[in-house]
């Protein structure tokens, strides 16, 4: 028994070492730096709560956190609806596994290019003189270009949905493919309608995939500042941009404090979701 336990610890030691060096230690260092002091030219070790007091006492920071949370909820809801619909279609309406894999790979085509290129591709479509406005004007629906299509919260959320929907499709599709089709046939033979089968069979059995996809989307959207910068024309800011701006100004303690608060916020959101379902069944 002791030898078996020793072998288990030895097998886990390499991965544990990697996690400690590349995950736990950096996070601990960020937490430590968040209590340091800084001036206009440098930062130095200290233990004070000034960075957190400034962050929680700043109306701008609260506004940025609120905007980040709002966009995260919107993007999560849209990616969930779109991702669930695509996964449902692939899993239950495409009959052959060959076509399922072919159509699933088709959804990955946008990931063959970089995020920057995919974001920039929206500009000719949504711009003031873009294809969307020109089409609406030509059809007589509007008389002048719509200004909020680009460089606004709308364009930022649209880009997020475009970038991260696949992270919702993959785990949901993987979960749906594991659902025993005989359960659906039994429900149908018992007189259940299509909506009842969806709400009472498919959605409950798809919860682990939904939770995994939600974790990916929330974590990515909360921390992504490049998309917000490009698609808002630098007119909007999220928490990631606050951190980026502080780093650019060499205010590392302030950036670290914001990063710690962001990490805690994301962990609380994910923890609340994981209480609804045990995703360890999927891992």
């Amino acid at each position: 028994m002791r030898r078996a336990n020793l072998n288990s610890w030895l097998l886990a030691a390499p991965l544990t070492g990697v996690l400690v060096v590349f995950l736990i230690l950096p996070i601990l260092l960020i937490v430590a730096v968040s209590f340091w002091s800084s001036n206009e030219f440098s930062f130095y070790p200290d233990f004070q709560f000034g960075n957190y007091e400034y962050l929680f006492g700043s109306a701008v920071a609260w506004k940025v956190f609120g905007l980040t949370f709002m966009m995260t909820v919107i993007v999560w809801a849209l990616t969930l609806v779109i991702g669930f619909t695509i996964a449902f279609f692939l899993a239950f309406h495409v009959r052959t596994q060959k076509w399922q894999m072919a159509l699933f790979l088709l959804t990955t085509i946008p990931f063959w290019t970089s995020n920057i290129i995919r974001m920039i591709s929206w500009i000719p479509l949504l711009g003031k003189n873009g294809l969307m406005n020109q089409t609406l004007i030509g059809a007589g629906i509007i008389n002048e270009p719509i200004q909020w299509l680009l460089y606004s919260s709308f364009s930022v959320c649209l880009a997020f949905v475009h970038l991260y929907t696949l992270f919702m499709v993959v785990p949901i599709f993987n979960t749906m493919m594991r659902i025993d089709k005989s359960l659906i046939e039994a429900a149908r033979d018992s007189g259940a309608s299509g909506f009842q089968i969806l709400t009472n069979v498919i959605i409950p059995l798809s919860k682990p995939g939904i939770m995994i996809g939600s974790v990916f989307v929330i974590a990515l959207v909360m921390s992504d500042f490049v998309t917000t910068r490009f698609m808002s024309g630098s007119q909007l800011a999220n928490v990631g941009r606050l951190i980026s701006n502080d780093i650019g100004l060499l205010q590392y303690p302030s950036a670290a404090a914001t990063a710690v608060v962001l990490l805690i916020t994301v962990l609380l959101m994910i923890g609340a979701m994981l209480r609804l379902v045990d995703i360890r069944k999927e891992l």
Side-chain angles (χ1 to χ4, degrees), residues 251-269:
Q251 298 297 312
Y252 292 104
S254 177
T258 307
V260 170
V261 175
L262 175 61
L263 176 62
I264 294 174
T265 303
V266 173
L267 291 178
L268 289 175
M269 294 175 65

Side-chain angles (χ1 to χ4, degrees), residues 84-95:
F84 187 90
T85 303
I86 295 174
F88 180 82
F89 174 78
L90 292 177
F92 298 106
H93 290 276
V94 180
R95 299 301 180 183

Side-chain angles (χ1 to χ4, degrees), residues 10-75:
L10 291 176
L11 290 173
L15 180 58
T16 303
V18 171
L19 291 176
V20 170
V21 173
F22 295 102
L23 179 64
I24 298 178
L25 286 181
I27 292 177
L28 293 177
L29 181 60
I30 292 173
V31 174
V33 173
S34 68
F35 294 100
W36 289 12
S37 297
S38 63
N39 52 37
E40 296 179 358
F41 307 102
S42 64
F43 59 96
Y44 47 90
D46 194 3
F47 185 80
Q48 47 85 31
F49 296 92
N51 297 314
Y52 292 98
E53 291 176 355
Y54 176 80
L55 180 63
F56 288 111
S58 173
V60 174
W62 280 103
K63 182 178 179 180
V64 171
F65 268 91
L67 178 62
T68 302
F69 181 78
M70 180 191 71
M71 288 194 297
T72 300
V73 172
I74 293 174
V75 173

Side-chain angles (χ1 to χ4, degrees), residues 97-269:
Q97 187 175 9
K98 177 181 177 181
W99 277 106
Q100 283 178 337
M101 293 299 102
L103 293 175
F104 175 75
L105 292 176
L106 184 65
T107 64
T108 67
I109 288 179
F111 280 75
W112 296 359
T113 59
S114 68
N115 288 3
I116 302 297
I117 294 176
R118 281 182 283 163
M119 284 186 287
I120 294 177
S121 66
W122 285 105
I123 296 177
L125 180 64
L126 302 177
K128 182 178 180 181
N129 298 316
L131 181 61
M132 181 67 71
N133 275 317
Q134 293 300 319
T135 301
L136 294 175
I137 292 175
I141 299 176
I142 58 176
N143 297 322
E144 57 184 18
I146 301 175
Q147 303 292 335
W148 52 264
L149 289 179
L150 187 63
Y151 302 140
S152 62
S153 299
F154 170 80
S155 60
V156 173
C157 291
L158 180 64
F160 277 140
V161 172
H162 179 207
L163 294 176
Y164 299 134
T165 296
L166 185 62
F167 290 94
M168 192 70 78
V169 174
V170 173
I172 296 177
F173 175 67
N174 181 52
T175 304
M176 287 183 175
M177 289 298 294
R178 299 183 184 185
I179 296 177
D180 189 350
K181 301 300 189 294
S182 62
L183 295 176
I184 299 176
E185 294 298 330
R188 186 177 289 111
D189 293 340
S190 299
S193 63
F195 181 76
Q196 290 174 324
I197 294 175
L198 176 65
T199 56
N200 296 317
V201 178
I202 296 177
I203 291 180
L205 294 178
S206 300
K207 281 184 178 181
I210 293 174
M211 291 300 108
I212 294 174
S214 299
V215 169
F216 281 125
V217 171
I218 289 175
L220 290 169
V221 174
M222 290 287 286
S223 59
D224 189 333
F225 65 92
V226 177
T227 303
T228 303
R229 178 181 178 183
F230 273 88
M231 297 307 297
S232 70
S234 297
Q235 299 181 40
L236 298 176
N238 63 351
V239 181
R241 285 212 56 192
L242 286 182
I243 298 173
S244 176
N245 291 340
D246 285 338
I247 292 176
L249 296 173
L250 302 181
Q251 298 297 312
Y252 292 104
S254 177
T258 307
V260 170
V261 175
L262 175 61
L263 176 62
I264 294 174
T265 303
V266 173
L267 291 178
L268 289 175
M269 294 175 65

